[in-house]
Amino acid sequence: MIQVKNVTKTFNETNKAVDNISFEVKPGEIVGFIGPNGSGKTTTLKLLTGIYQKDSGDIKVAGYDIDKEPLEAKKNIGYISDSPDMFLRLKGIEFLNLIADIYEVGTEKRKERIKKLTKAFGLEDILDSEMISYSHGMRQKMMVIAALIHEPDVWILDEPLIGLDPESAHQLKEMMKEHAKKGHTVLFSTHVLEVAEKLCDRIIIIKEGKIIYQGTLKELKKQYTKKDLEEIFLRMVQDEHVH
């Protein structure tokens, strides 16, 4: 579960990247976090994972306060950042073992999960190569595997489908559904509204650091008759606030 209450984050003393936002993502839910570039999506996700420190408000992940109990909270998070370009001098298997060590995954369990996940994404034959030799899509797949290796309760994904081929994107979406069916929590940001429509139980739309809509796509469409999802989104982020 994710609980966010009255959270604000300011950069350079004046730029409110996140402005007094509140929302929840319940166990078993897949929630899409949607907004234009610069709206505060990535900042919010980095606040949830403890990468950034909030100015005010409260954040709980899996029941733990991200500031007061950061290690307990982070143990329950699987996070995919907006960039897969990290640890590139490590071999793929070295990177996955490093992540497994951090999350204290036992030897047998990690072997089983690495084998299963790398096979699912077609990476089993490149694990002995340095990640700097991988394509962007391969690196993105490695980030997905790393985020799942400790079977987290909460999955926080920042534009996870960018760079993935269609087969891998489908595989990731199926994993997200499976994760939610187990009673876990999934929050992901996306620009692809069709993905949100097919995958999400609810959506959250953010504009200029403020949440302007929370609810189902079905409820949103009722407010804008005879318009497709893209038209609705563009109208909302350009000139209208819907609560």
Side-chain angles (χ1 to χ4, degrees):
M1 186 167 194
I2 297 170
Q3 296 166 296
V4 177
K5 187 175 180 182
N6 303 125
V7 168
T8 295
K9 174 63 177 178
T10 305
F11 292 105
N12 301 324
E13 298 184 358
T14 56
N15 176 26
K16 277 190 179 178
V18 173
D19 190 358
N20 195 36
I21 65 170
S22 299
F23 65 87
E24 282 191 1
V25 185
K26 297 174 183 175
E29 267 195 320
I30 300 176
V31 173
F33 200 44
I34 301 171
N37 289 336
S39 60
K41 296 192 305 296
T42 292
T43 298
T44 300
L45 299 189
K46 288 184 176 179
L47 290 169
L48 296 180
T49 54
I51 296 171
Y52 289 162
Q53 297 295 305
K54 56 185 170 51
D55 299 337
S56 58
D58 297 295
I59 296 173
K60 285 188 176 181
V61 179
Y64 297 103
D65 186 297
I66 194 66
D67 288 334
K68 296 174 184 175
E69 304 162 293
L71 285 179
E72 289 81 359
K74 290 174 185 179
K75 282 179 183 178
N76 288 279
I77 295 172
Y79 174 59
I80 300 177
S81 76
D82 56 341
S83 171
D85 297 330
M86 56 188 78
F87 299 104
L88 297 184
R89 289 298 178 186
L90 292 181
K91 295 177 180 178
I93 192 63
E94 291 172 339
F95 169 66
L96 294 178
N97 275 315
L98 171 64
I99 300 301
D101 285 342
I102 290 169
Y103 286 105
E104 300 176 339
V105 181
T107 303
E108 291 306 312
K109 278 193 174 182
R110 79 172 63 180
K111 281 183 181 177
E112 176 189 326
R113 291 177 195 164
I114 289 172
K115 183 178 180 180
K116 178 183 176 182
L117 291 167
T118 54
K119 185 176 181 181
F121 285 107
L123 297 180
E124 64 266 51
D125 294 333
I126 62 166
L127 291 179
D128 287 328
S129 300
E130 288 185 357
M131 288 169 58
I132 197 167
S133 69
Y134 293 6
S135 68
H136 179 90
M138 290 175 179
R139 293 174 191 174
Q140 186 73 359
K141 293 178 197 179
M142 289 296 288
M143 295 304 116
V144 173
I145 294 167
L148 285 175
I149 201 164
H150 60 299
E151 295 186 338
D153 289 333
V154 176
W155 209 6
I156 297 172
L157 317 178
D158 195 356
E159 298 284 357
L161 300 174
I162 290 179
L164 294 183
D165 58 81
E167 185 179 350
S168 297
H170 174 75
Q171 184 74 39
L172 176 54
K173 286 183 271 189
E174 290 303 307
M175 286 180 173
M176 290 164 73
K177 291 177 188 175
E178 183 182 335
H179 196 65
K181 281 180 182 176
K182 291 178 179 178
H184 301 316
T185 300
V186 179
L187 176 66
F188 76 103
S189 68
T190 182
H191 285 101
V192 186
L193 302 180
E194 291 79 8
V195 170
E197 188 167 25
K198 292 176 182 177
L199 200 57
C200 297
D201 300 298
R202 290 187 299 115
I203 62 167
I204 298 168
I205 299 178
I206 188 169
K207 173 188 175 183
E208 295 175 356
K210 292 180 179 287
I211 289 175
I212 60 172
Y213 179 78
Q214 297 189 57
T216 67
L217 281 162
K218 187 176 180 181
E219 291 165 347
L220 180 60
K221 284 182 174 181
K222 284 181 181 178
Q223 300 178 34
Y224 293 86
T225 56
K226 298 181 181 178
K227 291 188 181 296
D228 64 28
L229 188 57
E230 189 169 344
E231 286 178 309
I232 293 169
F233 174 72
L234 289 173
R235 186 170 170 186
M236 289 184 71
V237 299
Q238 284 170 2
D239 56 24
E240 290 199 14
H241 288 248
V242 178
H243 298 279

